Amino acid sequence: MKILVTGGTGYIGSHTVVELQQQGFEVIIVDNLSNSQAGVVDAIAQITGIRPVFEKFDLVDREMTADFFRRHNDLNGIIHFAAYKAVGESVDKPLMYYRNNLVSLMNILEGMIANNIPNLVFSSSCTVYGQPDELPVAETAPIKKAESPYGNTKQISEEVLQDTIKSSKINVIALRYFNPIGAHDSALIGELPLGVPNNLVPFITQTAIGIRQQLSVFGEDYNTPDGTAIRDYIHVVDLAKAHVIAVSRMINKKMKQPFEVFNLGTGNGNSVLEVINSFERVSATKLNYKIVGRRAGDVEKVWANADFSNKELGWKAEKSLDEMTASAWKWEKAYRSRS
Ligand code: UFG
């Protein structure tokens, strides 16, 4: 079975390529390396013993994308990760986000239709729920107005997909990720943000290793037990495994409808301070952090109702918070000692 993984050298993409190859799938990666490095392909080959095919080009380029699909018209499925994902940057550069995230999706869909490629797994986000009225949040919860252009690209993409399946033979599974953290146990692949990290865990590990001076904890006046914001952190390998299950479900024609949505979270919420405490415990280091004001656009608390994914996909996130922070730390140390 041949699967195209767009964004396959990125954080979640690379971990998914490893899981796919280990389950016997043949993988082709397309990535423009806008936020990742070609060396990730070597690392994947080192882990699995198989070098995935890698083509470097931009899926926003309609002609190049059409040409790619003409050359690879025998794909059994596509997992589409390639997208920009920094919330703050999307507020400053909305058109860059809309163009990149939406045009690439439309080019892929056109290629699928032209070449009768049936199955697409789409990377969506819990950001589509905004601040949910009910927690844990289930897939049936209403979609709230997006807090950022980035979040809006995920909402619009889900709508584009829903409209497209009605007039074509394409099937779609949209996976709504909560907060992926951690790294592969080999410490050969992991999260590698360019520049100053936006996200909590890479900021923690970079502070602990001395690249950043101090972590700012954004807000301690939220309506939560310790006052800091709560998220559902999920190990990236648990997340990657769900993609293999999703694409297999499509190929094996086990879908119940042509458009399905699944939450990918653990079902547990942890506060920022709980994540810091976990990190300090597993790394036996003291983290330099200070409490500052809230970050604009942050929701107070969100965690998944994962019952539907657990039941329908037969999948469950397995790793604990300590395992997640420990693996992130192992990766940070291994990466810095190599470079
Ligand atoms: N945080 C800090 N200090 C930091 C970075 C983050 O205190 O330096 C806090 C945030 O305020 C938040 C929590 O840590 O409370 C998690 O923040 P992240 O930036 O790691 O993650 P977000 O929940 O903001 O964003 C993630 C993904 C987005 C996605 C969003 C959906 O990165 O792509 O979840 O909620 F859209």
Side-chain angles (χ1 to χ4, degrees), residues 84-87 124-128 130 148 150-151 154 177-181 191 197-204 214-219 222 228-233 270-272 275-276 290 292-295 297-300 302:
Y84 292 153
K85 58 163 187 155
V87 175
S124 191
S125 167
C126 69
T127 192
V128 302
S148 67
Y150 158 75
K154 293 297 175 191
Y177 311 151
F178 285 69
N179 286 51
I181 61 169
E191 190 169 10
N198 290 297
N199 298 116
L200 178 63
V201 170
F203 210 109
I204 289 176
Q214 189 173 52
L215 169 77
S216 298
V217 172
F218 299 131
Y222 286 110
T228 63
I230 294 179
R231 298 286 182 276
D232 185 336
Y233 296 93
N270 285 108
S271 71
V272 176
V275 176
I276 293 172
K290 79 162 187 248
V292 301
R294 293 182 180 195
R295 181 171 70 176
D298 272 349
V299 302
E300 182 168 88
V302 61

Side-chain angles (χ1 to χ4, degrees), residues 282-317:
V282 302
S283 65
T285 58
K286 194 94 196 78
L287 193 71
N288 182 21
Y289 70 89
K290 79 162 187 248
I291 312 276
V292 301
R294 293 182 180 195
R295 181 171 70 176
D298 272 349
V299 302
E300 182 168 88
K301 47 190 166 194
V302 61
W303 61 94
N305 180 333
D307 292 351
F308 184 61
S309 308
N310 294 164
K311 186 169 148 281
E312 269 302 308
L313 297 178
W315 164 90
K316 201 169 180 3

Side-chain angles (χ1 to χ4, degrees), residues 124-319:
S124 191
S125 167
C126 69
T127 192
V128 302
Y129 300 122
Q131 177 60 64
D133 299 326
E134 271 179 47
L135 286 168
V137 62
E139 291 84 349
T140 46
I143 301 296
K144 298 252 182 91
K145 185 172 162 35
E147 301 270 356
S148 67
Y150 158 75
N152 209 21
T153 68
K154 293 297 175 191
Q155 291 189 2
I156 296 170
S157 294
E158 286 199 14
E159 288 177 359
V160 168
L161 291 167
Q162 278 175 300
D163 287 341
T164 305
I165 56 138
K166 286 180 198 146
S167 66
S168 70
K169 294 198 178 106
I170 294 177
N171 300 306
V172 174
I173 293 183
L175 299 175
R176 293 182 180 155
Y177 311 151
F178 285 69
N179 286 51
I181 61 169
H184 193 262
D185 194 44
S186 63
L188 290 167
I189 53 173
E191 190 169 10
L192 196 55
L194 291 183
V196 183
N198 290 297
N199 298 116
L200 178 63
V201 170
F203 210 109
I204 289 176
T205 55
Q206 289 194 12
T207 304
I209 212 147
I211 299 173
R212 311 283 153 210
Q213 224 197 333
Q214 189 173 52
L215 169 77
S216 298
V217 172
F218 299 131
E220 60 165 350
D221 57 348
Y222 286 110
N223 182 21
T224 60
D226 66 21
T228 63
I230 294 179
R231 298 286 182 276
D232 185 336
Y233 296 93
I234 174 168
H235 196 286
V236 66
V237 173
D238 280 333
L239 194 75
K241 286 180 176 161
H243 291 74
V244 180
I245 293 171
V247 85
S248 305
R249 176 181 176 91
M250 306 184 97
I251 291 170
N252 297 328
K253 303 204 180 324
K254 294 279 164 56
M255 290 176 76
K256 304 225 163 113
Q257 329 168 52
F259 184 82
E260 293 183 331
V261 178
F262 295 101
N263 279 344
L264 295 184
T266 63
N268 302 313
N270 285 108
S271 71
V272 176
L273 288 180
E274 284 173 337
V275 176
I276 293 172
N277 289 340
S278 162
F279 175 79
E280 289 187 330
R281 192 163 52 239
V282 302
S283 65
T285 58
K286 194 94 196 78
L287 193 71
N288 182 21
Y289 70 89
K290 79 162 187 248
I291 312 276
V292 301
R294 293 182 180 195
R295 181 171 70 176
D298 272 349
V299 302
E300 182 168 88
K301 47 190 166 194
V302 61
W303 61 94
N305 180 333
D307 292 351
F308 184 61
S309 308
N310 294 164
K311 186 169 148 281
E312 269 302 308
L313 297 178
W315 164 90
K316 201 169 180 3
E318 283 165 359
K319 304 251 197 229

Side-chain angles (χ1 to χ4, degrees), residues 99-121:
R99 177 178 295 280
N100 188 62
N101 292 5
L102 298 177
V103 175
S104 57
L105 176 65
M106 291 188 282
N107 289 344
I108 289 168
L109 290 170
E110 284 178 346
M112 292 177 74
I113 292 167
N115 296 284
N116 296 315
I117 297 164
N119 302 316
L120 180 74
V121 177

Side-chain angles (χ1 to χ4, degrees), residues 1-58:
M1 289 289 152
K2 209 195 242 187
I3 308 295
L4 163 64
V5 179
T6 76
T9 55
Y11 174 44
I12 309 173
S14 58
H15 288 81
T16 301
V17 172
V18 166
E19 296 302 316
L20 284 166
Q21 289 187 327
Q22 288 177 339
Q23 295 301 317
F25 289 90
E26 184 184 338
V27 176
I28 302 176
I29 295 175
V30 169
D31 203 303
N32 65 0
L33 301 181
S34 65
N35 193 24
S36 60
Q37 293 168 4
V40 171
V41 180
D42 302 325
I44 292 169
Q46 210 178 324
I47 296 169
T48 64
I50 306 159
R51 173 168 284 274
V53 173
F54 170 49
E55 292 201 21
K56 177 178 179 285
F57 70 89
D58 196 334

